[in-house]
């Protein structure tokens, strides 16, 4: 099992000052699988992803990418990041670049792909997400959902081994949520390994192979969606899910 | 019945020539989404049959009358203020003497060509020094952002440099350069007061400008760097492709203000004896005991700087508007 795990976290601990944000977190993400992180706001979902991408250092434990420890101080941070694609909760597109430039920046500057080739690939991806017409626009001229999809294309353009999607639908209306989720579904079909955080339980249930419930920085419960949603073992999970149901976000 | 059929006929005929144009335009990537030009607008207006309502016309008429009223008030108050100031100055006891020593047309006419000839030097200094200052200032700012133990000395040196020249009065820097450097009698080092004065300007202004650039770099949100780094860009690449382009754009207005200030300070180089606009005025003032040439030189500088400051204002306004639009998304 551990041989095919793309990502593995072993008792990861992360603190901000005196606040413990992640406590003994264990997580294994097999190849071609989708893991959904769920949990209340502030439970540490974004922090977990930032740690995986080495944007935050961890206090204890270890994170492995394809079996090698990336939290080792001797690990090449840039090389690790080249293999991980990230879509942030707040898009973080580069406002001074067009959509096409945003997408081709990393392939050209980091991976040494030629301009023509990088652009052709970017346009192909944009076309797949229905954004080909926006290639020459600047991000501030796009709607939220369009920006989010551009951010996804930007993360995909380097052909990452692992894709981290942090609440990519948080700022979108239901129709746009549908659009973006369709993209994720397509990616899953193509075999992309993904970790995503979401408040859309219906989506998590449908797309995820494993669901991981974070509560106060602790993984309280994880397992296949049918189990976590259908037969939660922990009282806290049940409470969280019933609150979510009450707010109408658990129609699968 | 027949009337209707007859009406339908010509309409269809009239539409036919439009037909082939439609698909052609649809293929055009720019024309497809947003038809531009008067013709397109007319077509659209016809299609939805919009006529401005009575209410809108009334509102617009009211706004126009308000605008006229404001313009009238502004003009009147400006004229009144100008007249009051004029009367105040002209009726002051020393006015006659002041007028003769500072506003003498004869001397102004005599001094103008000399001052303008000297001004060339000021402009050359400003351009030459301006380019060097931008390069050094940016370099200093970037050096100060370098992280890692290897760069500690570089960081310290750059910081010390900026601290030193930010505090050092311009005039002392100039005097030290112009009189001190030649006194050292170094071989191969120029004693030309113009070059030394220019060097003093570059030394001092690089420190100012580096602070401007640094504030620009720090104003770029950390998430931008994080996004660049998570795409695999190195620190240097993130700086070059993501942070600097945004930082530089933001600091263009304050940079222009520094340029304006530099433009004035080129006049200080005259203390070394280089004949610029100020020195030319001084020569004439010295043998005529009339200060009109100084005033003239001053006016010339003001005339030069006004377009620059207005340009900076315009740029700032434009960027603020753009930011507002961006924030609305
Ligand atoms: N840079 C930071 N410094 C200090 N505290 C932080 C920092 N980043 C996050 N935190 C804290 O860590 C906790 C977890 O934050 P995190 O962003 O991971 O939550 P989240 O699960 O992603 O929440 P949400 O669903 O609202 O996005 C929060 O209590 C937050 O205040
Ligand atoms: Mg979050």
């Amino acid at each position: 099992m551990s041989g095919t795990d793309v990502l593995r976290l072993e008792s990861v601990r992360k603190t901000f000052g005196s606040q413990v944000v992640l406590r003994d977190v264990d997580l294994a993400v097999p190849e071609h699988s989708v893991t959904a992180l769920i949990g209340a706001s502030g439970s540490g979902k974004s922090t977990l992803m930032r740690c995986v991408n080495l944007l935050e250092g961890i206090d204890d434990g270890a994170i492995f990418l394809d079996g090698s420890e990336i939290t080792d101080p001797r690990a090449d941070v840039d090389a690790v990041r080249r293999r991980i694609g990230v879509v942030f909760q707040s898009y973080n597109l580069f406002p001074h670049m067009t959509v096409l430039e945003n997408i081709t920046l990393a392939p050209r500057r980091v991976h040494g792909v030629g301009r023509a080739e990088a652009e052709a690939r970017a346009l192909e991806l944009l076309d797949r997400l229905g954004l080909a017409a926006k290639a020459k626009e600047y991000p501030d001229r796009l709607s939220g959902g369009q920006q989010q999809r551009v951010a996804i294309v930007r993360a995909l353009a380097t052909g990452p081994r692992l894709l981290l999607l942090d609440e990519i639908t948080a700022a979108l209306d239901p129709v746009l949520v549908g659009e973006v989720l369709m993209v994720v579904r397509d990616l899953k079909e193509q075999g992309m390994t993904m970790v995503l955080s979401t408040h859309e339980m219906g989506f998590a249930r449908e797309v995820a192979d494993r669901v991981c419930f974070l509560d106060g920085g602790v993984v309280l419960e994880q397992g296949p969606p049918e189990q976590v949603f259908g037969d939660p073992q922990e009282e806290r999970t049940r409470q969280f899910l019933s609150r979510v149901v009450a707010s109408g976000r658990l129609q699968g | 019945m027949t009337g209707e059929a007859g009406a339908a006929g010509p309409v269809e005929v009239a539409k036919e020539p439009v037909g082939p144009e439609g698909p052609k335009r649809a293929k055009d990537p720019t024309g497809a989404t947003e038809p531009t030009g008067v013709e397109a607008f007319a077509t659209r207006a016809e299609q939805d049959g919009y006529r401005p309502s009575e209410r809108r016309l009334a509102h617009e008429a009211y706004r126009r009358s308000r605008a006229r009223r404001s313009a009238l008030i502004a003009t009147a108050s400006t004229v009144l203020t100008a007249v009051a100031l004029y009367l105040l100055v002209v009726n002051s006891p020393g006015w006659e003497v002041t007028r003769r020593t500072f506003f003498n047309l004869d001397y102004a006419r005599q001094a103008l060509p000399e001052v303008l000839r000297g001004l060339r030097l000021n402009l050359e200094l400003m351009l030459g020094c301006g380019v060097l200052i931008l390069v050094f200032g940016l370099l200093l700012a970037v050096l100060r952002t370098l992280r890692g133990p290897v760069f500690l000395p570089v960081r310290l040196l750059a910081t010390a440099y900026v601290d030193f020249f930010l505090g050092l009065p311009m005039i002392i820097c100039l005097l030290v350069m112009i009189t001190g450097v030649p006194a050292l009698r170094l071989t191969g080092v120029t004693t030309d007061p113009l070059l030394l004065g220019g060097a003093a300007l570059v030394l001092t202004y690089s420190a100012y400008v580096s602070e401007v650039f640094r504030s620009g770099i720090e104003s770029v949100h950390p998430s931008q760097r994080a996004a660049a780094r998570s795409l695999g860009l190195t620190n240097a690449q993130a700086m070059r492709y993501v942070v600097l382009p945004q930082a530089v754009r933001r600091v263009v207005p304050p940079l222009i203000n520094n340029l304006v200030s530099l433009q004035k300070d080129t006049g200080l180089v005259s203390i070394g004896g280089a004949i610029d606009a100020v020195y030319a005025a001084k020569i004439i003032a010295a043998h005529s005991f009339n200060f009109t040439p100084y005033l003239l030189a001053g006016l010339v500088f003001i005339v030069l700087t006004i377009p620059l400051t207005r340009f900076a204002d315009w740029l700032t306004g434009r960027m603020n508007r753009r930011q507002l639009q961006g924030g609305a998304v």
Side-chain angles (χ1 to χ4, degrees):
Chain A
M1 178 81 176
S2 71
T4 55
D5 282 347
V6 173
L7 177 72
R8 195 153 44 85
L9 275 69
E10 272 178 20
S11 4
V12 169
R13 180 185 171 86
K14 169 75 191 167
T15 56
F16 285 115
S18 61
Q19 186 193 4
V20 184
V21 182
L22 297 177
R23 193 191 305 264
D24 277 334
V25 170
D26 287 301
L27 187 72
V29 180
E31 199 170 8
H32 308 308
S33 77
V34 178
T35 301
L37 304 175
I38 61 170
S41 192
S43 56
K45 304 182 293 292
S46 299
T47 306
L48 194 154
M49 296 207 208
R50 290 174 64 84
C51 289
V52 170
N53 197 33
L54 303 182
L55 287 172
E56 301 281 358
I58 58 175
D59 295 271
D60 202 352
I63 303 177
F64 299 85
L65 186 66
D66 280 323
S68 59
E69 188 189 343
I70 59 174
T71 41
D72 188 313
R74 282 156 294 191
D76 180 351
V77 175
D78 291 327
V80 169
R81 291 196 181 122
R82 258 175 255 147
R83 289 155 64 202
I84 302 179
V86 189
V87 180
F88 295 94
Q89 197 163 350
S90 50
Y91 328 133
N92 294 354
L93 294 176
F94 306 130
H96 62 296
M97 295 182 179
T98 63
V99 166
L100 201 58
E101 286 163 351
N102 259 283
I103 297 168
T104 54
L105 177 69
R108 289 180 59 197
R109 305 297 170 194
V110 180
H111 300 261
V113 179
R115 182 190 175 128
E117 193 189 334
E119 288 189 348
R121 168 128 179 83
L123 284 172
E124 184 195 315
L125 284 167
L126 280 172
D127 196 34
R128 229 165 64 199
L129 300 196
L131 284 169
K134 303 288 183 189
K136 296 268 188 274
E137 291 280 13
Y138 284 89
D140 61 3
R141 305 272 301 264
L142 301 182
S143 76
Q146 291 166 339
Q147 291 188 40
Q148 190 62 280
R149 278 178 287 162
V150 171
I152 295 176
V153 172
R154 186 174 72 176
L156 285 174
T158 53
R161 175 89 172 115
L162 172 70
L163 196 57
L164 307 175
L165 306 171
D166 190 4
E167 262 172 69
I168 53 171
T169 56
L172 309 181
D173 75 37
V175 177
L176 292 177
V177 168
E179 277 179 37
V180 171
L181 296 188
M182 204 133 72
V183 171
V184 176
R185 228 169 273 141
D186 281 353
L187 289 174
K188 179 188 158 91
E189 253 154 52
Q190 289 154 30
M192 176 65 77
T193 310
M194 287 181 276
V195 175
L196 52 90
S197 79
T198 183
H199 289 296
E200 303 286 330
M201 298 306 147
F203 172 63
R205 170 184 267 175
E206 182 196 339
V207 81
D209 301 300
R210 274 186 94 69
V211 175
C212 177
F213 175 59
L214 275 174
D215 184 59
V218 178
V219 179
L220 260 196
E221 187 154 0
Q222 58 178 319
E226 309 81 55
Q227 185 198 314
V228 176
F229 290 121
D231 181 22
Q233 305 299 306
E234 299 283 336
E235 180 55 30
R236 299 273 305 167
T237 319
R238 276 195 287 275
Q239 278 175 7
F240 174 73
L241 289 176
S242 64
R243 278 210 310 277
V244 170
V245 170
S247 71
R249 280 179 116 152
L250 187 61
Q251 289 98 36
Chain B
M1 282 289 247
T2 35
E4 264 180 52
V11 171
E12 265 184 34
V13 173
K15 266 186 180 164
E16 240 168 16
V18 185
E21 246 181 62
K24 237 187 268 165
R25 200 188 287 158
K27 267 181 217 154
D28 177 5
T30 51
T33 45
E34 272 189 19
T36 45
V38 181
E39 181 223 354
F41 178 76
T43 329
R44 207 176 353 170
E46 245 167 59
Q47 275 167 0
D48 77 358
Y50 173 72
R51 292 273 173 277
S53 69
E54 284 301 314
R55 179 180 289 136
R56 175 173 174 179
L57 292 176
H59 284 180
E60 278 172 359
Y62 176 71
R63 276 193 208 108
R64 270 197 301 276
S65 81
R66 290 293 298 197
R68 259 200 307 275
R69 216 175 88 103
S70 309
L72 219 67
I73 293 174
T75 316
S77 89
T78 310
V79 168
L80 274 178
T81 313
V83 168
L85 279 177
Y86 175 78
L87 290 178
L88 189 74
V89 169
V90 169
N91 291 327
S92 63
W95 168 242
E96 259 314 302
V97 184
T98 318
R99 199 181 62 84
R100 259 182 278 123
T101 43
F102 280 94
F103 300 93
N104 189 317
L105 262 188
D106 278 343
Y107 283 116
R109 221 171 283 132
Q110 189 190 332
L112 188 62
E114 302 295 324
V115 168
L116 287 181
R117 204 167 302 136
L119 192 69
R120 239 191 89 128
L121 198 68
N122 295 96
L123 287 177
E124 283 168 6
L125 258 178
M126 183 188 73
L127 286 180
C129 294
V131 172
L132 289 176
I133 287 164
L134 286 180
V135 173
F136 286 145
L138 186 59
L139 190 71
L140 279 170
V142 171
L143 286 182
R144 290 184 70 179
T145 66
L146 290 180
R147 291 284 158 260
V150 191
F151 298 116
L152 180 73
V154 179
R155 229 160 40 226
L156 283 181
L157 275 178
T159 311
Y161 177 93
V162 173
D163 285 350
F164 183 81
F165 281 99
L166 273 186
L168 188 69
M170 179 81 233
I171 191 88
I172 292 182
C173 182
L174 265 169
L175 284 172
V176 168
M177 286 300 284
I178 290 172
T179 58
V181 171
L184 292 175
R185 294 175 197 280
L186 297 168
T187 41
V189 174
T190 181
T191 56
D192 182 347
L194 182 65
L195 288 183
L196 289 171
L201 286 176
V202 173
L203 285 175
T204 308
Y205 269 88
S206 296
Y208 299 159
V209 165
S210 89
E211 285 296 275
V212 173
F213 276 126
R214 202 162 68 99
S215 72
I217 289 172
E218 271 162 19
S219 78
V220 176
H221 198 272
S223 65
Q224 287 284 309
R225 252 176 59 88
R229 298 282 284 143
S230 69
L231 281 170
L233 273 73
T234 61
N235 252 323
Q237 285 176 321
M239 183 56 102
R240 157 137 194 241
Y241 296 112
V242 175
V243 178
L244 277 186
Q246 296 183 56
V248 168
R249 240 162 269 213
R250 278 179 215 182
V251 296
V252 166
L255 281 181
I256 293 178
N257 289 334
N258 269 284
L259 200 67
V260 168
S261 177
L262 171 69
Q263 141 90 41
K264 292 186 303 185
D265 281 350
T266 55
L268 289 175
V269 173
S270 65
I271 61 173
I275 303 185
D276 73 329
V278 177
Y279 201 83
K282 185 179 175 181
I283 293 172
I284 299 171
H287 60 66
S288 67
F289 299 105
N290 187 289
F291 294 115
T292 309
Y294 279 136
L295 198 78
L296 185 76
L299 280 177
V300 168
F301 274 100
I302 293 172
V303 168
L304 271 181
T305 54
I306 286 176
L308 271 178
T309 38
R310 281 294 85 78
F311 179 62
D313 282 353
W314 175 79
L315 218 59
T316 314
R318 205 184 69 143
M319 286 189 337
N320 286 346
R321 272 197 302 283
R322 233 187 98 93
Q323 213 151 50
L324 279 184
Q325 280 168 6
V329 172

